[in-house]
Amino acid sequence: MHKNHNSLEEFKKYREKMNCKILASGNLQIQRFFNLDTRAYQEGALSSKVKELLGLVASLVLRCDDCITYHVLRCVEEGLTDAEFFEAFNVGLVAGGSITIPHLRRAVQRLEECRTLQPHPSRRRNDKR
Amino acid sequence: MHKNHNSLEEFKKYREKMNCKILASGNLQIQRFFNLDTRAYQEGALSSKVKELLGLVASLVLRCDDCITYHVLRCVEEGLTDAEFFEAFNVGLVAGGSITIPHLRRAVQRLEECRTLQPHPSRRRNDKR
Amino acid sequence: MHKNHNSLEEFKKYREKMNCKILASGNLQIQRFFNLDTRAYQEGALSSKVKELLGLVASLVLRCDDCITYHVLRCVEEGLTDAEFFEAFNVGLVAGGSITIPHLRRAVQRLEECRTLQPHPSRRRNDKR
Amino acid sequence: MHKNHNSLEEFKKYREKMNCKILASGNLQIQRFFNLDTRAYQEGALSSKVKELLGLVASLVLRCDDCITYHVLRCVEEGLTDAEFFEAFNVGLVAGGSITIPHLRRAVQRLEECRTLQPHPSRRRNDKR
Amino acid sequence: MHKNHNSLEEFKKYREKMNCKILASGNLQIQRFFNLDTRAYQEGALSSKVKELLGLVASLVLRCDDCITYHVLRCVEEGLTDAEFFEAFNVGLVAGGSITIPHLRRAVQRLEECRTLQPHPSRRRNDKR
Amino acid sequence: MHKNHNSLEEFKKYREKMNCKILASGNLQIQRFFNLDTRAYQEGALSSKVKELLGLVASLVLRCDDCITYHVLRCVEEGLTDAEFFEAFNVGLVAGGSITIPHLRRAVQRLEECRTLQPHPSRRRNDKR
């Protein structure tokens, strides 16, 4: 694969549908893991915004397109500016190497899709680069 | 990608077609490697069922969708119950982390496809969860 | 590093000491994660022995020496024979490639250490290879 | 995914379009990284051909389809024969294990596409295997 | 290996000595890469503190002990509290799975060493957990 | 770990000793795998020198110190110059990112050890950088 074949809407639907099936399997430990995964990004000593950034860069260096899409979405909701996005991308790129570039391309495609759907005011505000 | 775009049938056809081309390339060592790969899962001191489970969890933590699809198929043939599948998935999930979740979604989609095509009797039999 | 510098006894002590410190940090979610990690290997639809084997092969293909040491220890406790160990190692080796060989060397060193300390009767029993 | 859904032409277009967007983001360090990535494969103490081979095998063991596609293309331009391709694939396969096989299938599909588009004379010339 | 064999002081010395040798090799592109690596963590649209956190979590999920040691050191310099450290560790642990736990143990050992050497005032200040 | 604790001589001894034990285990498939691993680097359509370079860069991007040590040794035997070594290191560094730097440090330490033990004439000859 070299581009994101599905719209953000399709991504969200498939993700929700399959998560439901996994949670309906009756395996209690998997349910608890999903719960821990959600809580890891909640406001605490570190803000949700910083934690979503951590999730985004972890997803980039581990090269998981769906995880990147999810955290791009969440970072947009947290009001991340484009300059902030690209500095985070740069940390992931330098740490993870050129092997992350195909994922970076798709991340930027996803960011564009998010900006088109929900042109967040903060995008302009702090974005001085 | 965030869902399996191809049917199980298409997966099997493409896999077989390309494996043939690889083996026809004349590189004897690649042929031997493919041979070793097949033999690694044959009945021995450990049963085929256990070995296919090892292959499934290795594929999940290494996050290879095609390998997961292949071992889901084989595990269904070995009569694995859903409860057994989800306990194996849980080991992979805890060991490999939330980065494996997108692959888990597709694994569960593949498992559903297999169950629809060949509703294995053992599925009900031992599946008490 | 190319050999295990510490004895099994030192490994166990350091592991216990640092786990205590991590759990004493007061981060509730990390405590819950450690709990899930323990439970993932408990008897269920799949036996503890099979789950430890899954943990062993996952650790080998992910190339984590300490995880391998831990699961070798646990598999010895579960009565795994040498023939079973080496078939599991072979699945990991074929799936993960020659890059796992240095870890395989250390795994075999650990297995030897375990056999010396607790010469498990089952080693001979089923070991027909 | 289990086959390459897009033609080589689509791959090149998407790659170029998104690279432009990334470079237009105004992040100077990302621009420099892309520059270093290009220069790493230029003729020097090692030839371009050898460097492209290094890129191909690195991409195979790191299991990145787009990177493999790119280096297959470049290796064809450098006049690599099929025998050379498959020996390089074999090094990657043995080092990275059977988990690389799905990527190898797609690599061979890409190689076929390249050969159809630009039947390089050297393919026959040195290909004695 | 299962504990950090060297003191922080030895780590720093070896790191500096070998970096000098690498930079003295005369390979201009490697020099530029090292330069980009340094700059990626400098204050910008994102603060140095946030970038060091990104580096720490990337290092944890990629399971590189030396990278973790370096970013623990830098995060201590940036005044990170223990509660912040453990929330970042938790994001890495959930994303990367139990395979990161041996690295987490060594990270906590390094954090202790840093706290002993330079008991940073901020440790108490914001640390309410 | 952050430096190579053992001499090249100790590395070779441990490697040989443990390989013997693995091969003596009686698992025929592991023996065959080891055989394939050896053959992958033998002269063919590609020269041994190029294949060792492929092994070196694969080992660097997969971040395996023992594999790097082995291929540094073999590349020195093949007469690789320092300029060639550092260009290969640069390909690995750019592809695999800064996470490979700790391994690069140890690779350069190993290269120094090799040069001290067997100052290969070709080192001076082609090394114009």
Side-chain angles (χ1 to χ4, degrees):
Chain A
M1 189 218 5
H2 56 260
K3 72 175 177 186
N4 299 300
H5 292 292
N6 306 74
S7 69
L8 273 176
E9 225 33 70
E10 287 171 302
F11 165 79
K12 288 187 204 170
K13 259 190 219 157
Y14 179 75
R15 184 178 175 275
E16 194 173 350
K17 187 181 77 176
M18 295 315 296
N19 282 4
C20 283
K21 292 195 178 182
I22 291 168
L23 297 176
S25 73
N27 187 303
L28 189 62
Q29 293 172 47
I30 293 181
Q31 290 170 16
R32 283 180 181 153
F33 190 99
F34 273 61
N35 191 3
L36 279 185
D37 186 33
T38 304
R39 283 168 187 261
Y41 300 94
Q42 287 174 347
E43 195 84 14
L46 295 172
S47 68
S48 293
K49 183 182 156 181
V50 166
K51 287 177 170 183
E52 286 299 333
L53 270 164
L54 296 175
L56 179 64
V57 172
S59 303
L60 184 55
V61 297
L62 291 174
R63 303 189 282 128
C64 171
D65 286 327
D66 282 10
C67 310
I68 292 171
T69 294
Y70 177 76
H71 289 292
V72 164
L73 263 163
R74 286 286 301 110
C75 284
V76 166
E77 287 172 9
E78 294 289 338
L80 214 71
T81 67
D82 283 0
E84 289 171 325
F85 263 112
F86 279 90
E87 289 194 8
F89 289 154
N90 185 51
V91 170
L93 177 61
V94 170
S98 66
I99 209 81
T100 66
I101 290 178
H103 304 272
L104 181 55
R105 284 185 205 118
R106 293 187 283 269
V108 170
Q109 184 191 333
R110 286 304 189 199
L111 179 55
E112 269 198 324
E113 284 177 70
C114 291
R115 294 300 192 208
T116 308
L117 292 172
Q118 30 179 297
H120 199 283
S122 70
R123 189 197 185 179
R124 291 278 127 62
R125 211 172 49 212
N126 326 6
D127 205 356
K128 317 158 227 202
R129 279 238 154 178
Chain B
M1 189 221 2
H2 56 261
K3 72 175 177 187
N4 298 301
H5 292 293
N6 306 74
S7 69
L8 273 176
E9 223 33 68
E10 287 171 302
F11 165 78
K12 288 186 206 170
K13 258 190 219 157
Y14 180 76
R15 184 177 175 275
E16 192 173 353
K17 187 181 75 175
M18 296 314 298
N19 282 4
C20 284
K21 291 193 179 183
I22 291 168
L23 296 176
S25 73
N27 187 304
L28 188 63
Q29 294 173 45
I30 293 182
Q31 291 169 15
R32 284 181 181 152
F33 190 100
F34 273 62
N35 191 3
L36 279 184
D37 187 32
T38 304
R39 284 168 186 260
Y41 299 95
Q42 287 173 350
E43 197 82 13
L46 296 172
S47 68
S48 293
K49 183 183 157 181
V50 166
K51 287 178 169 183
E52 285 299 333
L53 270 165
L54 296 176
L56 180 64
V57 171
S59 302
L60 184 55
V61 299
L62 291 175
R63 302 189 283 127
C64 173
D65 286 327
D66 282 10
C67 311
I68 293 172
T69 293
Y70 177 77
H71 288 293
V72 165
L73 264 163
R74 284 287 300 112
C75 283
V76 166
E77 288 172 9
E78 294 288 337
L80 214 73
T81 67
D82 282 0
E84 289 171 325
F85 262 113
F86 279 89
E87 290 195 8
F89 289 155
N90 184 51
V91 170
L93 177 61
V94 169
S98 66
I99 210 81
T100 65
I101 291 179
H103 304 273
L104 181 55
R105 284 185 205 118
R106 293 188 283 269
V108 170
Q109 183 190 335
R110 286 304 189 199
L111 179 55
E112 269 198 324
E113 284 177 70
C114 291
R115 294 299 191 209
T116 307
L117 292 172
Q118 29 180 297
H120 199 284
S122 70
R123 188 196 186 177
R124 290 277 128 62
R125 210 173 49 214
N126 325 5
D127 204 356
K128 318 158 224 203
R129 279 237 151 177
Chain C
M1 188 220 6
H2 56 260
K3 72 175 176 187
N4 298 300
H5 292 293
N6 306 74
S7 70
L8 274 176
E9 224 33 68
E10 287 171 302
F11 166 78
K12 287 186 204 170
K13 260 191 219 158
Y14 180 77
R15 185 177 173 275
E16 194 174 350
K17 186 180 77 174
M18 296 315 297
N19 281 5
C20 282
K21 292 194 179 185
I22 291 169
L23 296 175
S25 74
N27 187 303
L28 189 62
Q29 293 172 45
I30 293 181
Q31 291 169 16
R32 282 181 182 151
F33 190 99
F34 272 62
N35 191 1
L36 278 185
D37 186 33
T38 304
R39 283 168 187 261
Y41 299 95
Q42 288 173 349
E43 196 83 14
L46 296 172
S47 67
S48 293
K49 183 183 157 181
V50 166
K51 287 177 170 184
E52 286 299 333
L53 270 165
L54 296 175
L56 180 64
V57 171
S59 301
L60 184 55
V61 297
L62 290 174
R63 303 189 281 127
C64 172
D65 287 327
D66 282 10
C67 311
I68 292 171
T69 293
Y70 177 78
H71 289 293
V72 165
L73 263 163
R74 285 287 300 111
C75 283
V76 166
E77 288 172 9
E78 294 289 337
L80 214 72
T81 66
D82 283 1
E84 289 171 325
F85 262 111
F86 278 90
E87 289 196 8
F89 289 154
N90 184 50
V91 171
L93 177 62
V94 169
S98 66
I99 209 81
T100 65
I101 290 179
H103 304 272
L104 181 55
R105 283 186 206 119
R106 292 187 284 268
V108 171
Q109 183 191 336
R110 286 304 190 200
L111 179 55
E112 270 199 324
E113 284 177 70
C114 291
R115 294 298 192 210
T116 307
L117 292 172
Q118 29 178 295
H120 200 284
S122 70
R123 189 195 185 180
R124 289 278 129 60
R125 211 173 48 215
N126 327 5
D127 204 355
K128 323 158 221 202
R129 278 232 154 183
Chain D
M1 189 219 5
H2 56 260
K3 73 176 174 185
N4 298 301
H5 292 293
N6 306 74
S7 69
L8 273 177
E9 223 34 68
E10 287 172 302
F11 164 78
K12 287 187 205 171
K13 260 192 218 158
Y14 180 76
R15 183 177 175 276
E16 193 174 353
K17 186 180 78 174
M18 296 314 297
N19 281 5
C20 282
K21 290 193 181 187
I22 291 168
L23 297 176
S25 73
N27 187 303
L28 188 63
Q29 293 171 47
I30 293 182
Q31 291 169 16
R32 283 180 182 153
F33 190 99
F34 273 62
N35 191 3
L36 279 184
D37 187 32
T38 303
R39 283 168 187 259
Y41 300 95
Q42 288 173 349
E43 195 84 14
L46 297 171
S47 68
S48 294
K49 183 183 157 181
V50 166
K51 287 177 170 183
E52 286 299 332
L53 270 165
L54 296 176
L56 180 63
V57 171
S59 301
L60 184 56
V61 298
L62 291 174
R63 301 190 282 126
C64 173
D65 287 327
D66 282 12
C67 310
I68 292 171
T69 294
Y70 177 77
H71 289 293
V72 165
L73 264 163
R74 286 286 300 111
C75 284
V76 166
E77 288 171 8
E78 294 289 338
L80 215 72
T81 66
D82 283 1
E84 289 171 325
F85 262 112
F86 279 89
E87 290 195 9
F89 288 155
N90 184 50
V91 170
L93 177 61
V94 169
S98 67
I99 209 80
T100 64
I101 291 178
H103 304 272
L104 181 55
R105 283 184 206 119
R106 293 187 284 269
V108 170
Q109 184 190 334
R110 287 303 191 199
L111 179 55
E112 270 198 323
E113 285 178 70
C114 290
R115 294 297 191 210
T116 308
L117 292 172
Q118 29 179 296
H120 201 284
S122 70
R123 188 196 185 177
R124 289 277 129 61
R125 211 172 48 211
N126 327 5
D127 205 356
K128 322 159 220 201
R129 278 238 151 178
Chain E
M1 191 219 5
H2 56 261
K3 73 175 175 185
N4 298 301
H5 291 293
N6 305 72
S7 69
L8 274 176
E9 223 34 67
E10 287 171 301
F11 165 78
K12 286 186 207 172
K13 259 190 221 156
Y14 180 77
R15 183 177 176 275
E16 194 174 349
K17 186 180 77 175
M18 296 314 296
N19 282 5
C20 282
K21 292 194 178 183
I22 291 168
L23 297 176
S25 73
N27 187 303
L28 188 63
Q29 293 173 47
I30 293 182
Q31 291 169 17
R32 283 182 181 151
F33 190 99
F34 273 62
N35 191 1
L36 278 185
D37 187 32
T38 304
R39 283 168 187 260
Y41 299 95
Q42 288 174 349
E43 196 84 14
L46 296 171
S47 67
S48 293
K49 183 183 157 180
V50 166
K51 287 177 171 183
E52 286 298 334
L53 270 164
L54 296 176
L56 179 64
V57 171
S59 302
L60 184 55
V61 298
L62 291 175
R63 302 190 281 127
C64 172
D65 287 326
D66 282 11
C67 311
I68 292 171
T69 294
Y70 177 77
H71 289 293
V72 164
L73 263 163
R74 285 286 301 112
C75 283
V76 166
E77 287 173 8
E78 293 289 337
L80 215 73
T81 66
D82 283 1
E84 289 171 325
F85 262 112
F86 278 89
E87 290 195 8
F89 288 154
N90 184 51
V91 170
L93 177 61
V94 169
S98 66
I99 208 82
T100 65
I101 290 179
H103 304 272
L104 182 55
R105 283 184 206 118
R106 293 187 284 268
V108 170
Q109 183 190 336
R110 287 301 190 201
L111 179 55
E112 269 198 324
E113 285 178 69
C114 291
R115 294 301 192 208
T116 307
L117 293 172
Q118 31 178 295
H120 200 285
S122 70
R123 190 196 183 177
R124 290 277 129 62
R125 210 173 50 214
N126 325 7
D127 205 356
K128 319 158 224 199
R129 280 236 153 179
Chain F
M1 188 219 5
H2 57 261
K3 72 174 176 187
N4 299 303
H5 292 291
N6 306 73
S7 69
L8 273 176
E9 224 33 68
E10 287 172 301
F11 165 79
K12 287 187 207 171
K13 260 193 220 156
Y14 179 76
R15 183 176 175 277
E16 195 174 349
K17 186 181 77 176
M18 295 315 297
N19 282 5
C20 282
K21 292 194 178 185
I22 291 168
L23 296 176
S25 74
N27 187 303
L28 188 61
Q29 293 172 48
I30 293 182
Q31 291 169 15
R32 283 180 181 153
F33 190 99
F34 272 62
N35 191 2
L36 279 185
D37 187 31
T38 303
R39 284 168 185 261
Y41 299 95
Q42 288 173 347
E43 195 82 13
L46 295 172
S47 67
S48 293
K49 183 183 157 181
V50 165
K51 287 177 169 182
E52 286 299 332
L53 269 164
L54 296 176
L56 179 64
V57 171
S59 302
L60 184 56
V61 298
L62 290 175
R63 302 189 282 127
C64 172
D65 286 327
D66 282 10
C67 311
I68 293 171
T69 294
Y70 177 77
H71 289 293
V72 164
L73 264 163
R74 286 286 301 112
C75 283
V76 166
E77 288 172 6
E78 294 288 338
L80 214 71
T81 67
D82 283 1
E84 288 171 326
F85 262 111
F86 278 90
E87 290 196 9
F89 289 154
N90 184 50
V91 170
L93 176 61
V94 169
S98 66
I99 209 81
T100 65
I101 291 178
H103 304 273
L104 181 55
R105 284 186 205 117
R106 292 187 283 268
V108 170
Q109 183 190 334
R110 287 303 190 200
L111 179 56
E112 269 197 325
E113 285 177 70
C114 292
R115 294 299 191 209
T116 307
L117 293 172
Q118 30 180 293
H120 201 284
S122 69
R123 190 197 186 178
R124 288 278 128 63
R125 209 173 50 214
N126 326 6
D127 205 356
K128 323 156 221 202
R129 280 238 152 176

